[in-house]
Amino acid sequence: MAVDRNRVAAAVREILAAVGEDPDRPGLKATPRRVADAYAEFFAGVGEDASAPLAHTISVSRGPAPDTLPSGAVLLRDIRFRSVCEHHLLPFAGRAHIAYLPGEQVVGLGALPKVVDVLAARPQVQERLGEQIADTIAASLDARGVLVVLSAHHECVTMRGGRQPDAATVTIAARGEFAEPAARAEIIMLLTASAESGG
């Protein structure tokens, strides 16, 4: 579903007037259109199928490298993402780490950031975003387990309220074998090593 830029621009113009500004002054005259263009990008994932990037899978036993069957997790770290908090319409941004235990099918690594991008491009809360990423991967692949760790800075925390500029929120969503804490301990250790090395 495409964002209605004209409606967004009209609403922004009204907000500017409501805060006591003149939406026709030179510095603000183009602001409603600029915000509408930004919102079209920020919310491009509304109504989009997040599983579409995972539609093309590769058989591990009959694929291009059947002699190198994965025995452990496939982990993609440090996927940058940004989203908009649905509570205050302020941005939050950070990194996603995704791990899955393959069954018979794997997916090209480039597909995983696309899933994150689609789901992040909606009004969101971080807790739900991680769960949706995990659910999409679990439902689309025959993975034995899925783990999604998100770490993000929220402008509703850094710029308003308590104003804690260094506060980061970390959430974990786990499916299948990774739902057991012992099974995901190795993956969490790898993610911690990434964070400590500045990755």
Side-chain angles (χ1 to χ4, degrees):
M1 175 184 134
V3 170
D4 186 335
R5 296 182 192 217
N6 290 331
R7 287 182 68 186
V8 172
V12 171
R13 183 177 171 82
E14 179 60 27
I15 289 170
L16 290 171
V19 299
E21 264 291 0
D22 175 9
D24 290 319
R25 76 172 171 83
L28 290 176
K29 196 168 183 67
T31 297
R33 178 58 53 188
R34 289 189 189 111
V35 173
D37 290 343
Y39 274 25
E41 182 180 337
F42 293 164
F43 302 122
V46 174
E48 293 295 311
D49 180 6
S51 66
L54 303 175
H56 178 70
T57 59
I58 304 161
S59 167
V60 295
S61 62
R62 298 182 309 281
D67 54 336
T68 56
L69 300 180
S71 59
V74 176
L75 172 62
L76 189 60
R77 299 188 304 202
D78 299 319
I79 302 167
R80 291 188 179 272
F81 74 92
R82 57 111 179 99
S83 190
V84 175
C85 174
E86 66 184 35
H87 296 152
H88 299 96
L89 293 183
L90 289 173
F92 65 96
R95 296 180 187 224
H97 312 287
I98 299 173
Y100 72 97
L101 287 167
E104 166 59 20
Q105 301 292 322
V106 293
V107 70
L109 294 177
L112 298 176
K114 292 176 184 175
V115 172
V116 175
D117 287 344
V118 170
L119 291 168
R122 303 172 178 182
Q124 275 289 9
V125 293
Q126 181 175 331
E127 298 88 340
R128 184 175 63 226
L129 176 59
E131 298 293 332
Q132 288 177 338
I133 294 167
D135 285 339
T136 300
I137 295 169
S140 300
L141 303 177
D142 63 338
R144 294 173 284 131
V146 178
L147 180 67
V148 177
V149 178
L150 303 181
S151 177
H153 290 86
H154 293 245
E155 289 196 8
C156 59
V157 174
T158 64
M159 296 184 67
R160 62 167 300 281
R163 296 186 187 175
Q164 295 296 314
D166 298 323
T169 300
V170 178
T171 55
I172 299 173
R175 302 291 182 271
E177 292 184 22
F178 285 143
E180 294 296 323
R184 65 179 180 245
E186 178 185 13
I187 302 302
I188 296 294
M189 185 179 68
L190 289 170
L191 297 181
T192 302
S194 170
E196 289 174 350
S197 66

